[in-house]
Amino acid sequence: MTAVDTLPPSDGRPELLVLRAIKLGDLLVAVPALHALRRAFPDHRISLATTAWLAPLVELVPEVDVHLAQHGLDHPIGAPAGAVDVAVNLHGAGPESSDLVAALGARRVIGHADPTNGFDGPEWPDAVHERDRWADLLRWHGIEADPDDVAIARPDAPPVAEGAAVVHVGAFHGARHWPTDRFAAVVRGLRERGLDVVLTGGADDVER
């Protein structure tokens, strides 16, 4: 699935647009919510506004019909006002994301409470796992969601390492780097279960 800059012409279905414009892990923890939205809105075309370079992963989430390129919150979402029936804010509860969602002029908005834009919803919870955060949000809006419903499709390309467990040691912000001894403990546990382990990361992660 190729990321597009603007919402394609309607295919006759009502539009549901999800904002989740961050990075790899952020998209993965939103997968249960995407599953739940597809079950709740089977007749809608679902567009996911997220980072363009995540296209190979978005391709593995069959609930998504359209991948809208949206890196960060410093530019409008590429959908004309009034074209979206249901807008879902899986990005956050601050004005940056809420204002972008409000600009869509959707009939229904699913998100956390935002009195400034007149959005009803639960208060933003702290110290909650992201999968639970989004499942709880949807439940508040009357949509059943299971935070453990994490399955994605298998890619067509053969795996680089057959049957391996992948441990990603990187993070975009240094403050979010997990201590290396904890990664080592995870790897030891996986190897004790008989799994080969592949470590992934960027050039800055090699030393760690």
Side-chain angles (χ1 to χ4, degrees), residues 193-206:
R193 293 170 57 185
L195 293 168
D196 290 330
V197 178
V198 174
L199 299 179
T200 63
D204 294 340
D205 302 309
V206 172

Side-chain angles (χ1 to χ4, degrees), residues 7-185:
L7 193 68
S10 173
D11 64 0
R13 291 179 289 174
E15 303 284 351
L16 185 152
L17 189 146
V18 180
L19 175 63
R20 184 64 173 162
I22 326 183
K23 295 180 174 63
L24 173 64
D26 305 291
L27 175 56
L28 289 173
V29 295
V31 165
L34 292 169
H35 290 326
L37 289 167
R38 172 52 75 202
R39 290 191 296 269
F41 298 93
D43 299 324
H44 280 62
R45 181 171 74 170
I46 295 182
S47 296
L48 176 63
T50 194
T51 314
W53 56 260
L54 288 173
L57 181 61
V58 175
E59 182 76 33
L60 304 181
V61 186
E63 285 74 17
V64 177
D65 300 306
V66 176
H67 178 184
L68 275 178
Q70 182 75 27
H71 184 68
L73 305 176
D74 59 355
H75 59 283
I77 299 170
V84 174
D85 179 51
V86 180
V88 184
N89 187 350
L90 296 186
H91 191 99
E96 296 88 353
S97 60
S98 288
D99 288 352
L100 290 183
V101 170
L104 296 172
R107 175 188 62 84
R108 179 181 179 185
V109 172
I110 296 172
H112 289 90
D114 176 18
T116 300
N117 284 303
F119 296 157
D120 198 14
E123 294 298 320
W124 179 266
D126 291 320
V128 175
H129 192 286
E130 287 285 284
R131 289 188 286 112
D132 293 314
R133 184 194 309 283
W134 305 123
D136 291 344
L137 170 67
L138 295 187
R139 290 194 200 101
W140 192 95
H141 286 274
I143 299 169
E144 188 54 42
D146 178 1
D148 294 328
D149 186 11
V150 297
I152 59 176
R154 290 180 180 270
D156 293 331
V160 175
E162 187 73 41
V166 177
V167 177
H168 183 69
V169 302
F172 185 74
H173 297 290
R176 298 175 66 182
H177 281 164
W178 219 32
T180 53
D181 61 329
R182 295 188 185 181
F183 278 117

